[in-house]
Amino acid sequence: MSMFCFQCQETAKNTGCTVRGVCGKQESTANLQDVLVYAARGLALAVDLAGAGASGGAGPKGSSIDDETVRVVGRTVLRALFTTVTNVSFDDDRLAAMIGEVLAQKKRVLTSISAEALSELPRPARWSADAQDRAALYAMIPEASPKADANEDTRALRELTIYGLKGIAAYGDHALVLGYEDIALYREIIRILAATLTLSDQGELTTLVVDTGHAAVRVMELLDRANTGTYGNPEVTEVNLGVRSNPGILISGHDLKDMHELLEQTKGTGVDVYTHGEMLPANYYPTFKKYDHFVGNYGNSWWLQDKEFAAFNGPILMTTNCLTPPKESYKERIFTTGLVAFPGVKHISDRGEGSGATKDFSAVIEMAKSCPAPTELEQGAITGGFAHAQVTALADKVVDAVKSGAIRTFVVMGGCDGRQKGRNYFTDVAKALPNDTVILTAGCAKFRYNKLELGDINGIPRVLDAGQCNDSYSLAVIALKLKEIFGLDDVNDLPIDFDIAWYEQKALTVLLALLALGFKGVRIGPTLPAFVSPNVAKVLVETFGLKLITTVDEDVAAIVGA
Ligand code: SF4
Ligand code: SF3
């Protein structure tokens, strides 16, 4: 057995991980993830052929699939794809169980189809296996691997679509956790996923990439409604970076419902709560700010977790990506939940059925009580909470600053952080940008510059943090709002530039959303995705003006129009 994965920015030699993931993923795990994605594509194809796709085509025997089935399949597809996002699951048993779930669901969808019609379905839609039979699952690797498509151009477009859907799945699952879903969007996800198996024409696959971008906009809008509808609009907040003397729990990842339930369950226990990485923006929500024992943020982005989790001294709750293989120094203190999993790490089970059901974090809280307080890493505070509602509330001030020339341009620098040394580029760009520029950010890329002293412009901080990577939607809303205020026909006439950092698939989803919204000239780095072939890169450059970052001096000069 060997593996092949090139879905993230840190892939080996920027070509592909073939022995073990740079992320720590084992060969067997990588292969099971490919098979899981393949099974989900087969399920989508079966459903699409049965008439559920957004294209509305009648399936074999003219059958159609009702909304309830689409809901069940849609939810399964979200979970299956989200599980395979970088740094979510390292657990083969869970992956195999999920493959079983997907295949069983496909079987149910196909029950309405006659044996004769069934035998005519394309192989992935018919494929079934016993999930316990790993050999049968591994037998699918050649078909499931990205390498199954020998043409590097169609493979690039297919993989870009699949990775875009993985991010959509993550955002859709976050919305679903809060009770928000969109059946029409599920139909569209199913249609696109099915088409990754049936299309082989480069033009049609390019259209599929664009469709994925439009679906990304829809899911990010849905998640924005879910987050703000449940927890209120983020507001300008000073986030404490220091520690107190109580024992604490560190919560990371992107799941705000876990955050809320943890805060509720720790109330009055003498245990404090701190955020890490992508949970930092939880500090900006009115609902969470009212808890006295919610102290602030501890540490930086995901890749520094081995040092920072060790220094925290108390239990850590990983709600979503990015988990890295835990070090012995804190492995006993780490808990996963939701889709995140690592063999040998304690896992908090899902909520039961019913609207009032909650997760049970008592084991985490009990452990915290016996742990020393966190070791202080830093002091002071950072300011954030500039999601679209807050920026809109400040619109007059912002518009005046632009009109008077106090703000020359905005630079969107959202996305992911990562380990690569070349990512100093983003710190250096932030430092080199002149004082009349404002950085708009979202995602963990911000940790490269959010603690620099960059000052403010007439009271507007020079780094405006909208939130998590999924809140990049806020940045698009802000840009579209400015376009409206300035009476422009084209968003590209705005004084706004893009310098996006990517690592995992959600950043690709955000990128596709920006392209779908018509933003041109987006710069990405630190490297071009390994799965993008030279021809496809050319199409992206010619159609969307996509650029790869160059040097700090060159890019800053281009941004400020020097
Ligand atoms: Fe390699 Fe990234 Fe895939 Fe991990 S997710 S195996 S680092 S390409
Ligand atoms: Fe970060 Fe993983 Fe992508 Fe949510 S936590 S942006 S990398």
Side-chain angles (χ1 to χ4, degrees):
M1 200 166 48
S2 64
M3 65 175 274
F4 184 76
C5 182
F6 59 172
Q7 68 173 355
C8 85
Q9 191 274 326
E10 292 188 358
T11 193
K13 301 192 183 93
N14 207 31
T15 52
C17 296
T18 54
V19 182
R20 187 172 193 265
V22 171
C23 59
K25 193 159 79 179
Q26 304 287 341
E27 176 180 75
S28 58
T29 315
N31 286 323
L32 285 171
Q33 290 187 351
D34 283 348
V35 174
L36 175 56
V37 171
Y38 187 68
R41 293 162 76 196
L43 168 63
L45 182 58
V47 175
D48 197 56
L49 290 171
S55 53
K61 302 261 172 215
S63 63
S64 68
I65 302 277
D66 57 89
D67 279 359
E68 197 41 42
T69 305
V70 173
R71 185 193 309 277
V72 173
V73 171
R75 289 177 177 185
T76 304
V77 166
L78 294 188
R79 288 171 56 80
L81 294 184
F82 186 8
T83 297
T84 68
V85 166
T86 300
N87 294 336
V88 173
S89 182
F90 296 81
D91 189 320
D92 289 8
D93 292 343
R94 282 174 178 270
L95 289 166
M98 204 175 269
I99 295 169
E101 205 184 301
V102 171
L103 293 178
Q105 213 159 92
K106 187 166 68 184
K107 220 176 196 169
R108 280 197 290 278
V109 169
L110 296 176
T111 46
S112 59
I113 295 175
S114 71
E116 193 195 346
L118 194 61
S119 67
E120 285 166 15
L121 290 183
R123 189 172 142 79
R126 288 186 265 128
W127 172 55
S128 110
D130 181 349
Q132 305 308 318
D133 184 354
R134 295 280 168 94
L137 301 188
Y138 290 138
M140 294 310 288
I141 297 168
E143 280 180 46
S145 166
K147 282 191 157 173
D149 185 348
N151 179 317
E152 63 169 14
D153 298 328
T154 51
R155 183 205 302 152
L157 294 166
R158 204 184 308 281
E159 293 305 312
L160 183 52
T161 302
I162 292 171
Y163 303 154
L165 288 174
K166 288 188 181 194
I168 288 173
Y171 296 148
D173 191 62
H174 286 309
L176 174 61
V177 164
L178 295 175
Y180 287 66
E181 59 187 341
D182 175 348
I183 298 296
L185 179 60
Y186 285 168
R187 286 184 189 268
E188 178 65 353
I189 292 170
I190 289 166
R191 179 190 74 82
I192 296 172
L193 190 58
T196 64
L197 282 168
T198 55
L199 298 184
S200 52
D201 173 81
Q202 206 173 316
E204 287 177 336
L205 282 166
T206 305
T207 306
L208 204 61
V209 169
V210 175
D211 293 346
T212 309
H214 288 292
V217 174
R218 277 173 71 176
V219 79
M220 290 169 81
E221 188 270 332
L222 178 73
L223 180 55
D224 183 72
R225 259 191 296 129
N227 285 341
T228 57
T230 313
Y231 301 118
N233 278 302
E235 51 196 33
V236 183
T237 307
E238 286 246 304
V239 181
N240 169 44
L241 300 176
V243 298
R244 302 202 302 200
S245 54
N246 300 328
I249 295 172
L250 189 60
I251 173 169
S252 191
H254 304 69
D255 194 308
L256 296 182
K257 190 160 184 173
D258 288 341
M259 178 77 206
H260 192 208
E261 291 179 359
L262 181 68
L263 285 171
E264 269 299 307
Q265 293 176 30
T266 40
K267 232 172 18 182
T269 61
V271 172
D272 286 340
V273 174
Y274 298 78
T275 55
H276 187 268
E278 274 287 70
M279 200 55 93
L280 158 66
N283 287 276
Y284 314 150
Y285 283 88
T287 305
F288 305 144
K289 284 164 72 169
K290 63 175 200 270
Y291 292 92
D292 294 337
H293 63 294
F294 182 15
V295 178
N297 190 69
Y298 186 86
N300 295 281
S301 72
W302 65 273
W303 61 278
L304 287 158
Q305 66 188 252
D306 49 354
K307 289 192 182 62
E308 295 174 351
F309 287 3
F312 186 74
N313 303 330
I316 303 120
L317 179 65
M318 277 313 287
T319 66
T320 67
N321 56 318
C322 276
L323 174 70
T324 62
K327 294 272 182 294
E328 286 308 319
S329 56
Y330 60 84
K331 193 169 181 182
E332 280 303 306
R333 285 191 276 118
I334 191 160
F335 292 79
T336 55
T337 189
L339 296 171
V340 201
F342 196 95
V345 166
K346 291 181 272 300
H347 190 83
I348 304 292
S349 335
D350 284 343
R351 296 169 187 92
E353 295 295 315
S355 58
T358 61
K359 287 189 184 174
D360 177 4
F361 294 119
S362 54
V364 190
I365 299 166
E366 279 317 303
M367 178 183 282
K369 287 179 182 166
S370 63
C371 291
T375 304
E376 187 167 84
L377 295 178
E378 57 195 328
Q379 291 179 339
I382 48 172
T383 306
F386 295 94
H388 59 86
Q390 180 65 81
V391 176
T392 305
L394 296 171
D396 288 351
K397 220 171 168 181
V398 173
V399 170
D400 285 350
V402 174
K403 283 191 176 153
S404 71
I407 294 179
R408 178 189 336 203
T409 194
F410 296 93
V411 192
V412 174
M413 288 183 70
C416 306
D417 195 12
R419 284 170 275 231
Q420 277 196 349
K421 288 219 163 50
R423 285 179 186 265
N424 286 343
Y425 161 93
F426 295 101
T427 313
D428 294 341
V429 166
K431 283 185 189 162
L433 282 167
N435 288 339
D436 56 2
T437 54
V438 170
I439 296 170
L440 300 172
T441 191
C444 64
K446 68 170 77 71
F447 285 102
R448 288 278 166 180
Y449 43 78
N450 67 345
K451 292 173 184 170
L452 300 174
E453 292 291 340
L454 295 179
D456 65 274
I457 300 174
N458 302 341
I460 303 164
R462 286 199 48 233
V463 178
L464 299 182
D465 178 20
Q468 299 178 336
C469 50
N470 43 294
D471 298 309
S472 305
Y473 172 74
S474 248
L475 305 180
V477 172
I478 292 168
L480 296 171
K481 189 88 205 155
L482 289 174
K483 175 189 147 205
E484 187 189 311
I485 293 173
F486 288 113
L488 300 171
D489 293 330
D490 185 348
V491 279
N492 295 295
D493 293 337
L494 280 170
I496 191 162
D497 228 290
F498 291 84
D499 205 10
I500 306 283
W502 84 284
Y503 167 61
E504 38 79 19
Q505 298 74 56
K506 290 188 281 175
L508 297 170
T509 307
V510 172
L511 175 69
L512 295 182
L514 290 175
L515 301 184
L517 286 168
F519 292 101
K520 298 236 187 306
V522 175
R523 242 176 234 96
I524 66 158
T527 50
L528 255 194
F531 58 85
V532 171
S533 64
N535 285 333
V536 168
K538 205 162 157 256
V539 171
L540 294 174
V541 170
E542 283 167 6
T543 318
F544 303 107
L546 195 73
K547 301 176 209 165
L548 182 62
I549 61 163
T550 61
T551 63
V552 174
D553 289 349
E554 206 177 305
D555 289 348
V556 169
I559 288 167
V560 298

